Amino acid sequence: MKINFRNLSFLAIYITLLYGATGCNKSTILGSGLIPPGDFVNAQDTTLTGIIANNILRYDSSILNGQNAYNKILGSVTTDPVFGRTHAFVYTQVSLPKSAFTFEGTGQTLDSVVLSLAYTGYTGDSSSPQTFRVYRMAEPGFTIDSNYAYNKALAYNPGELLGTATVTPLSLRDSVSIYGTKETAQLRIKLSTAFGNQLLSQKSDGAFATDSSFRAYLKGFAIVPDTNLGTNRNMIYLNLSNSNTKLTVFYKNTTDDSLRATMAFDQYASAHANYFTRNYNGSQASRFINTNNPNGDSILFLNAAPGLFTNLTIPGLENFPNVLINKAELVITQITSGPSDMNNIFIEPGSLSLRQYTNGDTTKIPADYYTNGGAAYFGGTRQVITNFGGVQVVQYTFNLANTMQRFIRKLDLNKGFRLEGYSPLYMDMNRVKVGGSNLSQYNIKLRIIYTKP
């Protein structure tokens, strides 16, 4: 759709035809309160629906995985009918308490050895169990200074299972008591007696001499969910830099009971990474991925990164008449098949991210983010509205008045936008299905309120 109006009279005719064709009104689908009611006497209101929106799936090289990205996601989802299967593994190292470390006393005997990871929350079904297994890593050169590809599984030895735990998010939320001391919530996985005895046998001039020698002996741990169960429906969040992420050896010697040695995660030395993979096969989304449909995809599927995002093109927006744009509100509305979409389990993003393309894949934050109140004006946060069928769904709106004005004045080129789910984490599960191009009243829309000069 190219807009090339020679005068405002023609614009008025276009608006009348556009409104008649789309049947738009001031329903909650388009939002309300864009400008004070008294100003409507001088303002014009139109809605553009010819937006071309395409679902895109490709590797995202901007995602940080390692280094200071200490917040991790762990688990498996095999029951999402809309977005398919998602799995997340965690890899981490621990460090010696000190160089030339040795266990206290003589005649040490093992009580137990436990890998704990600080728990910060979950997404999905809080009462559904997940099984996690711990393996010894075999990845060569697993180091703190690497940024690992999130879609590449790191090597571990599947023949050396060190421990297993089956938990629910509900079971992880409470503090735990260790030798009478309360510690904050954590995922605790008891490791094998054989592995614990191996640790007890290491020497201060051998594997325990330095962190380097320790990592040569123990490259790290791979924490792997059971991805074969057809009932998996949650993931948990972990914080590796928390003091409760550690390996603890509980032991006694010939003179003392209840001893323990802690080998903690060291944010300056311990390597870590997430493996995060999605499989959309058989899901609702699978038919709409990378279609390159010139008319756009009728349904959009938005993940928190890494996953699906949307490229938006609004043809001819730069040719809108040179008027004062009071508001240009991009409206994105959820569509749903009801309970079968499992939206009560797999939640929508708290906000969406919208970036403006400048050259190729290069993007910038639209000008509206920095003006008229900043992020609060720009929008993109989750709102609950009632759709035309009387069903409550979520809706996201972005205010692009300044961006559109810059297009009209040829200060920016209209190269389109990138829309995706937002999460404060580098990797997350949140997702939403919304109306795209050519989908009746649930189209993605741009509502423009403007004043004639």
Side-chain angles (χ1 to χ4, degrees), residues 130-210:
Q130 287 261 359
T131 296
F132 301 113
R133 297 184 173 92
V134 179
Y135 298 92
R136 186 191 288 261
M137 287 195 65
E139 181 72 17
F142 185 43
T143 58
I144 182 64
D145 56 355
S146 295
N147 185 36
Y148 291 94
Y150 63 82
N151 63 347
K152 177 190 175 187
L154 301 185
Y156 61 89
N157 183 0
E160 191 171 358
L161 176 64
L162 300 181
T164 302
T166 298
V167 298
T168 68
L170 284 176
S171 70
L172 294 175
R173 63 184 180 178
D174 297 324
S175 59
V176 296
S177 180
I178 310 297
Y179 283 172
T181 301
K182 282 208 167 184
E183 296 182 358
T184 55
Q186 53 194 258
L187 169 63
R188 295 177 61 82
I189 306 176
K190 184 177 181 180
L191 305 186
S192 71
T193 299
F195 176 70
N197 284 328
Q198 286 178 20
L199 287 174
L200 282 180
S201 67
Q202 301 309 308
K203 304 300 182 182
S204 60
D205 58 353
F208 288 170
T210 64

Side-chain angles (χ1 to χ4, degrees), residues 108-433:
Q108 300 96 345
T109 57
L110 181 73
D111 287 331
S112 62
V113 56
V114 177
L115 177 66
S116 58
L117 302 111
Y119 169 79
T120 59
Y122 75 96
T123 184
D125 182 357
S126 63
S127 61
S128 178
Q130 287 261 359
T131 296
F132 301 113
R133 297 184 173 92
V134 179
Y135 298 92
R136 186 191 288 261
M137 287 195 65
E139 181 72 17
F142 185 43
T143 58
I144 182 64
D145 56 355
S146 295
N147 185 36
Y148 291 94
Y150 63 82
N151 63 347
K152 177 190 175 187
L154 301 185
Y156 61 89
N157 183 0
E160 191 171 358
L161 176 64
L162 300 181
T164 302
T166 298
V167 298
T168 68
L170 284 176
S171 70
L172 294 175
R173 63 184 180 178
D174 297 324
S175 59
V176 296
S177 180
I178 310 297
Y179 283 172
T181 301
K182 282 208 167 184
E183 296 182 358
T184 55
Q186 53 194 258
L187 169 63
R188 295 177 61 82
I189 306 176
K190 184 177 181 180
L191 305 186
S192 71
T193 299
F195 176 70
N197 284 328
Q198 286 178 20
L199 287 174
L200 282 180
S201 67
Q202 301 309 308
K203 304 300 182 182
S204 60
D205 58 353
F208 288 170
T210 64
D211 255 358
S212 295
S213 59
F214 181 53
R215 300 203 199 294
Y217 162 71
L218 180 62
K219 294 182 184 297
F221 299 106
I223 302 96
V224 180
D226 187 332
T227 60
N228 295 315
L229 295 176
T231 55
N232 292 345
R233 46 201 288 172
N234 59 47
M235 290 197 177
I236 62 174
Y237 302 122
L238 306 170
N239 181 1
L240 297 188
S241 64
N242 184 284
S243 60
N244 285 328
T245 297
K246 58 193 175 185
L247 179 71
T248 306
V249 180
F250 298 93
Y251 68 102
K252 56 192 172 189
N253 60 28
T254 54
T255 59
D256 296 300
D257 292 330
S258 304
L259 297 172
R260 58 177 162 177
T262 300
M263 301 172 185
F265 177 87
D266 183 342
Q267 61 181 313
Y268 301 107
S270 300
H272 57 97
N274 248 147
Y275 167 55
F276 193 89
T277 180
R278 299 186 189 269
N279 185 341
Y280 296 96
N281 291 342
S283 70
Q284 293 178 30
S286 62
R287 298 186 296 110
F288 296 88
I289 296 174
N290 295 341
T291 65
N292 297 315
N293 186 340
N295 297 316
D297 297 317
S298 59
I299 303 177
L300 305 179
F301 299 84
L302 299 169
N303 289 128
L308 291 168
F309 64 92
T310 295
N311 278 345
L312 300 178
T313 303
I314 311 176
L317 194 60
E318 68 278 13
N319 296 321
F320 202 86
N322 190 15
V323 297
L324 176 63
I325 305 298
N326 303 106
K327 210 79 169 189
E329 186 178 67
L330 185 70
V331 182
I332 302 106
T333 305
Q334 182 184 30
I335 58 175
T336 179
S337 303
S340 63
D341 281 349
M342 299 180 71
N343 294 323
N344 61 325
I345 300 294
F346 306 115
I347 63 173
E348 307 88 4
S351 61
L352 299 183
S353 166
L354 183 72
R355 296 185 65 89
Q356 179 183 345
Y357 282 111
T358 58
N359 184 27
D361 285 336
T362 303
T363 62
K364 69 175 183 178
I365 298 174
D368 298 86
Y369 185 87
Y370 303 103
T371 57
N372 298 317
Y377 169 86
F378 182 54
T381 58
R382 179 184 183 275
Q383 308 165 62
V384 178
I385 59 105
T386 301
N387 68 14
F388 290 115
V391 176
Q392 285 195 327
V393 295
V394 301
Q395 187 176 79
Y396 305 86
T397 60
F398 291 93
N399 298 317
L400 297 171
N402 292 286
T403 299
M404 184 172 174
Q405 204 85 65
R406 291 182 66 83
F407 288 162
I408 294 171
R409 295 175 181 175
K410 314 305 181 189
L411 299 175
D412 279 343
L413 296 178
N414 178 18
K415 291 181 174 291
F417 301 88
R418 172 174 171 147
L419 179 70
E420 63 187 329
Y422 170 78
S423 169
L425 302 176
Y426 287 103
M427 291 171 246
D428 209 348
M429 265 292 297
N430 299 344
R431 77 339 177 242
V432 64
K433 177 176 66 172

Side-chain angles (χ1 to χ4, degrees), residues 42 104 173:
N42 297 315
E104 293 183 28
R173 63 184 180 178

Side-chain angles (χ1 to χ4, degrees), residues 1-3 5 11 14-15 17-19 22 24 30 45-52 313-321 325 327-331 404 408 414 436-438 440 442-450:
M1 175 184 67
K2 185 175 182 181
I3 307 169
F5 301 118
L11 174 61
Y14 173 80
I15 294 169
L17 293 173
L18 182 63
Y19 252 149
T22 61
C24 293
L30 289 180
D45 186 343
T46 188
T47 300
L48 307 183
T49 59
I51 297 173
I52 300 171
T313 303
I314 311 176
L317 194 60
E318 68 278 13
N319 296 321
F320 202 86
I325 305 298
K327 210 79 169 189
E329 186 178 67
L330 185 70
V331 182
M404 184 172 174
I408 294 171
N414 178 18
S437 306
N438 309 307
S440 183
Y442 300 112
N443 286 0
I444 188 168
K445 299 174 173 68
L446 182 67
R447 184 184 181 187
I448 305 169
I449 296 178
Y450 62 94

